Amino acid sequence: KSVMDWAEKVIKNHPDHRVFITVHEYMTEESRLLSKDGRPDPKGKDVVGVFERLAKLNPNVEFITCGHVKAVKKSDGKIIDDADIATGHRSDEMEDGVTVHQMLFNAQWLKNDKGQANGGDGWLLLLEFSADNKLVKVKTYSPYLDLWRTGSEYEYNLQRSTIKK
């Protein structure tokens, strides 16, 4: 059996639980910025399966997170290699009305204000879930630098869906 078979079984056996999937490489900055079909641009068939087989077919899948991407090739053939583009997020509403939030966070390439890379400087993507389960506040913080990173790619809110059975 494949990992996908196992994951699908676990998700289906827990329909009353919200599911948070974390994978190594799922979406790129380009899919966040330039996707023609409005969907992530995964690099391999297994990643396509994460969305098509796990998220799309299971209304309790709420989040997919990933990291790892640095430079991406744009449709015009040029390479984006911008150390300040280390994040991406999108929210796609499924046919059943449930929203799947997808987030890329790849702090290892971020540079400080002097243009130096330091392996990410401890940047963390923090998710703060509201007590009423309706909102998630996303923030970016480095305990190493004791700084908050600001801007629409580093701090935003996500509306949560109600699990439909």
Side-chain angles (χ1 to χ4, degrees), residues 19-33:
V19 176
F20 199 113
I21 298 172
T22 301
V23 295
H24 187 236
E25 185 175 10
Y26 176 76
M27 63 188 279
T28 66
E29 290 89 351
E30 183 175 73
S31 66
R32 170 180 57 89
L33 297 170

Side-chain angles (χ1 to χ4, degrees), residues 75-137:
S75 56
D76 65 5
K78 294 182 180 175
I79 300 291
I80 298 172
D81 189 7
D82 184 345
D84 285 330
I85 301 179
T87 67
H89 64 275
R90 58 181 303 113
S91 298
D92 292 311
E93 188 174 328
M94 302 295 100
E95 290 178 16
D96 57 13
V98 172
T99 300
V100 177
H101 301 292
Q102 299 146 92
M103 295 174 279
L104 161 68
F105 188 69
N106 187 37
Q108 67 183 328
W109 306 113
L110 288 176
K111 293 182 179 175
N112 62 24
D113 57 357
K114 296 174 185 160
Q116 302 165 322
N118 190 27
D121 282 327
W123 289 107
L124 303 169
L125 190 67
L126 303 174
L127 306 178
E128 180 183 333
F129 291 77
S130 66
D132 64 6
N133 277 326
K134 294 182 180 180
L135 182 73
V136 177
K137 292 181 180 181

Side-chain angles (χ1 to χ4, degrees), residues 60-75:
N60 54 335
V61 173
E62 186 175 10
F63 293 93
I64 302 173
T65 63
C66 71
H68 182 62
V69 180
K70 180 183 179 187
V72 296
K73 186 174 183 180
K74 292 174 48 174
S75 56

Side-chain angles (χ1 to χ4, degrees), residues 38-55:
R39 297 249 324 277
D41 181 26
K43 301 295 181 199
K45 63 181 178 157
D46 291 337
V47 177
V48 172
V50 169
F51 186 83
E52 295 293 330
R53 186 171 167 190
L54 300 181

